[in-house]
Amino acid sequence: MEMPFREAPPDNGAGLVPTDSMAPHKEELSYKIKEQKVVVDELSNLKKNRKVYRQQQNSNIFFLADRTEMLSESKNVLDELKKEYQEIENSEKNKIKK
């Protein structure tokens, strides 16, 4: 499932260096969560008669989309990202305890 209004995270090279730590992935997830929160807020605050467009994956073509459907999908994506972030947090806590 793609995220609407998605921008690429800043290229800081963190993903290019192999490490044992999950810190780069955690930072990227944190960035995506913040980004997704903005998308959900923007869609939530739109008037009911406003049109929403979804970008075709790997393209500059946009298609008309249903606002409520896009909001629902965006919330689901946000929940999945938060869940993944929490799993990383828990695994880091378990490593510290060991």
Side-chain angles (χ1 to χ4, degrees):
M1 184 180 305
E2 71 175 343
M3 290 187 291
F5 311 112
R6 196 170 79 181
E7 288 183 23
D11 185 18
N12 58 9
L16 302 176
V17 180
T19 62
D20 294 332
S21 168
M22 289 190 184
H25 183 64
K26 186 177 174 183
E27 289 175 14
E28 184 180 336
L29 265 179
S30 178
Y31 178 84
K32 287 181 179 181
I33 288 170
K34 289 177 186 174
E35 183 179 74
Q36 199 63 24
K37 283 181 180 179
V38 171
V39 171
V40 169
D41 286 342
E42 289 291 332
L43 288 171
S44 297
N45 292 320
L46 282 177
K47 294 180 181 177
K48 298 208 184 283
N49 62 346
R50 301 301 294 178
K51 293 183 179 179
V52 176
Y53 295 89
R54 173 183 222 127
Q55 185 174 8
Q56 182 67 24
Q57 193 171 4
N58 299 325
S59 173
N60 288 331
I61 300 172
F62 291 82
F63 292 99
L64 188 61
D66 181 52
R67 185 186 63 85
T68 55
E69 185 178 310
M70 289 294 292
L71 179 59
S72 175
E73 287 178 22
S74 296
K75 285 181 179 179
N76 289 340
V77 169
L78 180 59
D79 290 342
E80 290 172 16
L81 289 171
K82 285 181 176 179
K83 181 180 176 185
E84 188 175 345
Y85 187 85
Q86 191 63 43
E87 288 173 357
I88 291 173
E89 289 264 307
N90 291 340
S91 69
E92 287 178 353
K93 286 179 185 177
N94 288 339
K95 286 180 183 178
I96 292 171
K97 289 180 182 178
K98 290 182 180 179

